[in-house]
Amino acid sequence: MIYEMTVQVRVPDIKEGQKWYQTLLKKEPDFIPHEGFAEWELIPGCWLQVAEGAPADGSGPIRFGVADIEAERDRLRRELHIESFEICSREEVPVKWGTFSDPWGNRLGFFEYLNETEKKERIKAILGK
């Protein structure tokens, strides 16, 4: 039985990487178990680990669900200077999405449910809000 998960990205300088991911995630790390490593619990049981080391080639994208993808894209452009972030959609797919890279080449992205009722139900089921 799987009950929890972690996803890891690597950055060459942990201090710079931690600062960048704090801005991206809008919060301090939840856990710093040792030097060169920081973790954020994004939703219960789902952890993003940022570790000091060489980024893996071709990894990702890791996409995060958001309530308003356009607002998040605009924030990333302002706060993290992300310019390459095109929002995509397809008729048969129930979300719109966009992908970008961190400064070290790790592929990340956001997605947003198109149906407002489905979006609210998913947020409530996961976060209880």
Side-chain angles (χ1 to χ4, degrees):
M1 171 181 85
I2 296 172
Y3 63 92
E4 199 166 18
M5 68 175 277
T6 64
V7 178
Q8 186 181 101
V9 296
R10 294 186 180 177
V11 297
D13 179 302
I14 191 64
K15 288 182 182 178
E16 189 177 323
Q18 182 176 327
K19 181 180 175 187
W20 195 91
Y21 277 88
Q22 281 178 197
T23 302
L24 174 72
L25 301 171
K26 298 190 258 185
K27 68 181 222 166
E28 300 276 328
D30 294 297
F31 185 49
I32 299 176
H34 55 78
E35 188 174 321
F37 206 86
E39 294 187 80
W40 287 261
E41 188 172 27
L42 303 178
I43 59 174
C46 179
W47 294 81
L48 175 66
Q49 301 172 328
V50 176
E52 192 165 61
D57 242 0
S59 66
I62 301 167
R63 289 202 180 103
F64 307 106
V66 295
D68 184 338
I69 194 170
E70 284 88 2
E72 287 298 323
R73 178 196 55 203
D74 294 345
R75 182 182 71 83
L76 294 184
R77 286 180 172 163
R78 261 189 337 273
E79 296 179 10
L80 294 173
H81 311 290
I82 301 292
E83 293 303 322
S84 181
F85 187 135
E86 180 182 347
I87 296 172
C88 304
S89 65
R90 292 177 66 147
E91 189 175 318
E92 67 276 14
V93 178
V95 300
K96 51 187 168 180
W97 70 92
T99 304
F100 56 94
S101 293
D102 73 9
W104 307 278
N106 295 298
R107 300 292 291 151
L108 305 167
F110 292 139
F111 68 91
E112 175 188 346
Y113 282 95
L114 296 172
N115 180 291
E116 285 297 316
T117 301
E118 184 176 11
K119 182 190 320 182
K120 288 176 183 174
E121 287 174 0
R122 292 294 300 151
I123 291 169
K124 186 174 181 178
I126 294 166
L127 300 178
K129 294 181 180 184

